[in-house]
Amino acid sequence: MQTTKQWLMIADAHLCGENGDQPFFRFLDYVSQQDESVGIVFMGDLYDLWIALPGYESAEQLRFLEWCRTEKEKRPVIFIEGNHEFFVAKTRRDAFTYCDETQYEQGKYHWIHGDRINSEDWQYALLRFLIRNRVSRFLLTIFGHSIGPAAAHWIREKLREINSGHQKYFPREHVCRMLSGMNENQIVFAGHFHDQYQITEHNSTAEILPAYLNQGEVALYDVASGVLETAQVPQISIFRPLCTEAVAPVN
């Protein structure tokens, strides 16, 4: 496996886990054709709801996991849980080069989803506490065929309520506070807010990435030049020779 020269990042696709995910799998086909020096980071909220427990995962989610197992043999495949994914890092870690509930770090680079930047969001903190623990995992597992569908529906609706607030309010002051607490010259990549921002504080930079959900946008960071490119998949430089049709956004 070569040294990673470029990082391809995808945030907030909110896939539905059904046949409508085909444009996303076309995108993965393009990734597979790239040089091994291109690593990929899935920045969270890949699915609108992903409970990585028996009986909850869709055929498309299992197909995605198989793609990652194959692809990680030739390039880094990183997965960071978003607020719409549950227990992926605990039960599906083997599918990725690295998988974590909160972050991935490599030297001066930090990748997070972004859902915990706003430390004053008590509603989300409470929901996270209620769902992401051993007891809830146990209950969801043993009652998967009875209360499972109702529980999944409740979780999905609560997340939608909270997400609508996130998209209206960007916590710039919390991002600055996060950067102030880091060493100088750090670069943080995050998603979650479905819009693109760049914030510099204390000689460190936060790059908030756009959502794939909106227009099929992804981000490509070149390590040598320090250039961040964000665009729809067909317009990203490494994909231009391959794309003969647009990769439509997935709603």
Side-chain angles (χ1 to χ4, degrees), residues 209-228:
L209 307 180
Y212 178 91
L213 169 69
N214 296 340
Q215 297 292 331
E217 287 184 279
V218 298
L220 182 69
Y221 180 78
D222 185 83
V223 174
S225 66
V227 172
L228 178 69

Side-chain angles (χ1 to χ4, degrees), residues 76-104:
V77 179
I78 313 301
F79 190 94
I80 303 164
E81 284 187 13
N83 52 306
H84 285 245
E85 283 112 9
F86 301 89
F87 314 116
V88 177
K90 294 188 184 307
T91 66
R92 297 303 190 183
R93 190 181 300 271
D94 67 295
F96 308 98
T97 308
Y98 183 86
C99 181
D100 193 75
E101 294 179 352
T102 58
Q103 64 181 338
Y104 175 63

Side-chain angles (χ1 to χ4, degrees), residues 37-93:
S37 64
V38 179
I40 184 166
V41 185
F42 297 99
M43 304 283 295
D45 285 4
L46 183 66
Y47 284 91
D48 200 42
L49 182 63
W50 185 2
I51 301 175
L53 297 173
Y56 291 90
E57 291 172 299
S58 68
E60 285 70 24
Q61 288 167 345
L62 297 177
R63 178 183 173 187
F64 168 70
L65 288 169
E66 284 305 307
W67 181 90
C68 292
R69 288 190 182 97
T70 300
E71 202 65 22
K72 75 171 186 175
E73 298 303 317
K74 61 181 180 180
R75 75 181 75 254
V77 179
I78 313 301
F79 190 94
I80 303 164
E81 284 187 13
N83 52 306
H84 285 245
E85 283 112 9
F86 301 89
F87 314 116
V88 177
K90 294 188 184 307
T91 66
R92 297 303 190 183
R93 190 181 300 271

Side-chain angles (χ1 to χ4, degrees), residues 143-163:
F143 294 114
H145 295 293
S146 54
I147 68 169
H153 177 75
W154 182 85
I155 292 169
R156 192 192 308 269
E157 291 305 308
K158 288 298 179 184
L159 289 171
R160 283 177 178 168
E161 290 176 16
I162 292 174
N163 261 22

Side-chain angles (χ1 to χ4, degrees), residues 159-218:
L159 289 171
R160 283 177 178 168
E161 290 176 16
I162 292 174
N163 261 22
S164 64
H166 285 156
Q167 292 173 33
K168 293 176 183 177
Y169 167 69
F170 178 69
R172 181 177 295 270
E173 67 275 18
H174 290 271
V175 176
C176 292
R177 188 183 306 165
M178 174 188 69
L179 293 174
S180 296
M182 305 182 76
N183 295 328
E184 292 188 1
N185 302 316
Q186 304 295 295
I187 300 177
V188 180
F189 300 100
H192 185 60
F193 298 102
H194 292 211
D195 207 345
Q196 187 168 4
Y197 303 89
Q198 183 187 74
I199 298 173
T200 299
E201 181 79 15
H202 192 58
N203 291 327
S204 291
T205 300
E207 297 282 1
I208 311 299
L209 307 180
Y212 178 91
L213 169 69
N214 296 340
Q215 297 292 331
E217 287 184 279
V218 298

